[in-house]
Structures are given as structure tokens and as C-alpha cells.
Amino acid sequence: MNQLGVRWTTDQVLALAPDAASRKAGSKLGGPGPWSGTGSSAGSENSDEGAVWGLCKGSGSKPYQTIVDIGGSAAGSNGPGYKCSCPSRKFPCKHALGLLLLWAGGDAQVPAGQSPPEWAEPWLAGRQKRAESQQTDASAAGSGGAAADPDAARRRAERRAQRITAGATELEQRLADLLRGGLAQAEQSGYGLWEETAARMVDAQAPGLAARVRELGAIPASGPGWPVRLLEACALLHLLDQGWLRRDALPDDLAATVRSRVGLPASDREPPVRDRWLVLAQYDTADGHLTTRRAWLHGTQSARTVLLLSYGAAGRAPALALPTGRTLDASVSAYPGAGALRAELGEQFAPAESDGIRPKGVDVTTGLAAYGTALAADPWLESWPVTLAEVIPTRDPDGHWQLADGEGKSALPLTAHAAASPGLWRLVAVSGGAPVTVFGECGPTGFRPLATWAEEAAEVISLC
């Protein structure tokens, strides 16, 4: 059965935007003015693509042909697909966002039960063919297809491990030199010293070490208190170096975490788990070279929360795009590691829908204890997913924002980024001074709210 009849909300559509500029531009195209020839395949007996299409008038003589595959025609693909004749390199572009916003408004502007126009059919057919091919390839692999030479793979892994060991040993020496000479020299040497060291870690095929070294280079210019932050970062980097050099003596889960933090790809994922996965939050971060998209999913039956990561080159959005607040009937495979948070989305068995199921929250004390336990297992953990129940956004006596329990006995401070973001005011508006449930990331600098809802069956509101 086609699930496209359950339309997305405006918030769910805007959560797909690759950046703030696209969100703003797409919102301007969310009305019927520039659109013609709109339709969707929801309810059509002859089509199960789950697609929305339309023609958007632009600056040229020909309107832009825009089509969005919500996921029905490509079950097993990683989220919606977008096609537009405009020259934008962003996915989704502003026209796709505007079309989805128009569709979210109801049948009046985008009638359901239609057959795709001729210009949309080739692209939809291509997606369907690719999805079927992927499923066939996956089945063949599971049946025991041709395997790579295990001896050659082992030799490559051994050579890379030797390079990483040499790089970690060199990095230990550089950290020792820094501490012997005093942290002040880090400010005097500038970023060039760390960039050169990071390049050495890239040569050693340890991208995880390289990324952490680059972070060291930015700390001396990060404002008051930077020596403390630099010392903390150096200590964690030293701990990671030592973890790699002594990995054979570590428990299996911790050794897998060290390999992942150093930058080695995970060897084998856990067996796929089919569940109804609620998309709790999705947001992007960029470092100038790469855009990283983080999507948090919660298994409504397994009660497990997992993190999906996808990447896009500079100027391009990652391919993975999931609607916040919707539930996916899909399989997910977790990567090994102490926390086992990182996972990969597998086959999707049906389009995303809304079922009203929400994770149960915990109080602030329990949430902090869970974060502490996870941090003990993975000292390099940047954040841990926590759902807080019955909390109220409020200010502490010094004016800093926090999430306090209803009785005011415990509270969790918000990160500086969260306190300065528009999502905070959306959270305050949803709360209105009353307790709400909030999902977010707990980290060393505080809590970052990512989504909220006022009651169990309420709509998930994105705070990203």
C-alpha cells in the first residue's frame, strides 16, 4: 500500500534543506504562485512510486521540471530522491523544497492519485531499476558471491597498521615536545605547525588522528581559557595514540572503538535489525572540505538509538535525507565499538509514515549517568543521545539556559551553540513554561536539544 497519502509536515520538509539559505529560498516557493502541472502518485492504482512532481516558473522561458521520489519506488534506497532541471548543485534544491512544502499543504494544490507525466517517467524508472539491482546484488553477496583474496586483504591491512603505528609514534614525540616547551609555543607557532603534523598523519593513513591534530591547531585562537582546552585535547590524543599502540591488550569493543577513532573502516557490521525506526533528528556540519550529515534514529521495538552518517563534498549536500518525525520500516546494521551507536541504513520495506510512537524519556540524573557510562567506555565520545522527559527550558541565576526538571532539583546546561540558535526559541515556545520531552546530544560542554514534543502522541518538532 502506498503510504504517500500521509503527507509530511512543513517542519519535516524544511529539515531536509542542506543549509539555511536553501531553507529560506524553498519557503518562498512553497505557495501555488509559481507552480503548474503538480501532482502526486498517492493512491494511484497504476503507480507505486510515491512521487511528487510539478513545473516551477523561473527566470527563463521554460519552467523547471521538478520531481521528488519520497521513497516508494526505491525501497531500499537511502531516503528521498530529487530531480530538477535547474542548475543548482544542492540536494534538495529550492524548487524541490518548495514543491514538498506545496504538497504538505494538501490535495488542493498537489492532487493525489495521479500518473507521472512523461518527462518524469524515465527518471522514476531508472531509480526503480537501480533499487532492484541493489537488492539483487545484496542477495548475491549474502548467498556467497565471489570473495576477494583474503590473503591480499590481510597483507594490505598489515601494511596500513604499520604505517599508522609509525604515525602514532611520531605524534607521541611531537606531543611530548609541545609539553616540554610549554603550551605558549602553540600560540606562537600558529596553525602551520599543526597542519604539517596533520599531513604526516594523512601520509600514515590515519585520518582520525589527522582530524584531531587539526582541531589542536584551532584551539589557541578559540578565546580565553584556551590552554586548558588544548591540554585536554592533547591528553585525549595521547590516550588514543596509546590505545592504538597497545590495542592487542584491549577488550574487543574498546579495540574496535580505537580503530574507528584512528580512522580505520569498521570490519564487519552487526547483523541487520529490522525495526520501525523513528527519525528523531537530522542536521549538517561543514568544515570547508566536507559536509557531514548526522541522522539519529530510534527503534520503536528494539528501544535502540543509532546514528547514521553521510558525507558530501564541499558545496554538495550528502545523499542521505530522511524526514524528521517519520518512521521507517527498515533494517539497520550497527558498526562494532564500545557504544555501538554508528550504524548503516539497509533496506527500506515501505515509505516513511507517521505512527505517533515516541521514545520514553528519562530524568536529568539518569540521562547524565547514561552519558557517564558511555564516556567511560569511549573516552573520545563527542556526544551521547539522551531523551529527557518532563524538563523545562529556563535560565539559571547567571542567565545561562538550561533544561531543568519540573521540581527544579536538577538541571542540564545547554551548549553555547544551542543557547544562541533559533531552535532554542522554538523549544521555549513549545514548552510555554510547561514540561516537555526533549531529544538531544549530551556532551562535555552541555546538552544540545535536537527535537521536542509536548506529549507522547504529539508531532516531533525539529530544533536543528
Side-chain angles (χ1 to χ4, degrees):
M1 177 180 177
N2 197 306
Q3 298 292 338
L4 193 58
V6 182
R7 298 183 183 242
W8 296 354
T9 66
T10 298
D11 285 338
Q12 291 166 344
V13 172
L14 293 178
L16 299 174
D19 51 43
S22 297
R23 191 177 297 114
K24 182 178 180 180
S27 298
K28 293 180 179 179
L29 296 174
W35 292 98
S36 62
T38 58
S40 75
S41 57
S44 173
E45 296 180 356
N46 298 321
S47 176
D48 62 354
E49 301 91 0
V52 183
W53 56 83
L55 302 173
C56 185
K57 181 177 176 54
S59 57
S61 58
K62 295 183 178 180
Y64 294 121
Q65 297 175 338
T66 307
I67 182 169
V68 179
D69 179 3
I70 304 301
S73 69
S77 65
N78 289 337
Y82 312 96
K83 174 69 174 178
C84 186
S85 58
C86 75
S88 174
R89 297 179 62 189
K90 296 181 180 180
F91 296 95
C93 67
K94 63 181 182 180
H95 304 101
L97 289 170
L99 176 60
L100 287 174
L101 289 171
L102 192 67
W103 168 67
D107 287 348
Q109 305 300 334
V110 183
Q114 307 294 305
S115 296
E118 290 185 3
W119 55 266
E121 287 180 345
W123 182 73
L124 285 172
R127 277 181 63 82
Q128 177 69 38
K129 184 176 181 180
R130 286 192 296 273
E132 293 173 351
S133 176
Q134 290 172 2
Q135 293 174 1
T136 301
D137 292 344
S139 299
S143 304
D149 183 353
D151 289 335
R154 177 182 53 80
R155 289 193 295 270
R156 287 194 298 270
E158 289 176 350
R159 288 195 296 269
R160 182 170 184 181
Q162 291 171 357
R163 293 191 187 99
I164 295 175
T165 297
T169 302
E170 178 182 347
L171 183 54
E172 282 290 274
Q173 184 61 51
R174 298 205 175 193
L175 289 175
D177 292 343
L178 172 65
L179 295 179
R180 263 196 304 268
L183 296 181
Q185 69 171 300
E187 187 176 32
Q188 298 169 357
S189 300
Y191 192 78
L193 169 66
W194 300 107
E195 185 60 34
E196 189 267 338
T197 304
R200 295 284 294 169
M201 296 305 103
V202 172
D203 292 341
Q205 294 185 294
L209 293 180
R212 289 181 177 273
V213 168
R214 290 193 180 98
E215 292 174 359
L216 294 184
I219 292 177
S222 62
W226 68 264
V228 174
R229 294 192 293 275
L230 180 59
L231 185 59
E232 291 174 347
C234 287
L236 285 173
L237 187 52
H238 167 68
L239 184 63
L240 183 57
D241 276 343
Q242 290 299 313
W244 171 261
L245 296 174
R246 305 180 186 185
R247 61 192 180 280
D248 292 339
L250 299 178
D252 290 343
D253 280 349
L254 185 55
T257 298
V258 168
R259 287 193 293 268
S260 173
R261 296 298 184 187
V262 165
L264 284 176
S267 52
D268 296 316
R269 296 188 296 273
E270 295 180 3
V273 175
R274 181 174 178 178
D275 202 341
R276 297 187 59 77
W277 297 95
L278 171 65
V279 184
L280 285 170
Q282 177 180 274
Y283 66 93
D284 294 352
T285 57
D287 63 2
H289 303 284
L290 192 70
T291 298
T292 302
R293 177 163 293 168
R294 297 166 64 88
W296 287 105
L297 272 58
H298 177 79
T300 59
Q301 299 172 10
S302 63
R304 184 174 185 174
T305 302
V306 298
L307 174 65
L308 308 182
L309 296 180
S310 60
Y311 304 94
R316 296 186 68 96
L320 180 67
L322 302 175
T324 302
R326 309 282 291 207
T327 302
L328 307 174
D329 180 4
S331 62
V332 166
S333 300
Y335 288 95
L341 283 180
R342 174 83 188 279
E344 182 173 302
L345 183 63
E347 182 178 358
Q348 297 181 46
F349 302 97
E353 60 179 347
S354 231
D355 58 13
I357 299 177
R358 305 288 178 257
K360 294 182 179 180
V362 299
D363 58 35
V364 172
T365 301
T366 303
L368 278 174
Y371 171 58
T373 301
L375 195 61
D378 181 0
W380 310 278
L381 189 67
E382 297 175 357
S383 61
W384 184 257
V386 175
T387 301
L388 299 175
E390 300 292 312
V391 291
I392 302 172
T394 184
R395 294 181 186 268
D396 66 15
D398 295 325
H400 301 132
W401 281 98
Q402 60 183 3
L403 292 178
D405 62 26
E407 298 178 355
K409 294 182 179 180
S410 57
L412 193 55
L414 299 189
T415 64
H417 178 276
S421 71
L424 171 63
W425 302 111
R426 182 177 293 190
L427 174 59
V428 172
V430 171
S431 167
V436 292
T437 302
V438 181
F439 169 79
E441 297 173 345
C442 194
T445 60
F447 186 82
R448 180 180 181 180
L450 298 176
T452 185
W453 53 94
E455 54 188 37
E456 184 174 348
E459 173 189 341
V460 174
I461 305 297
S462 174
L463 305 175
C464 302

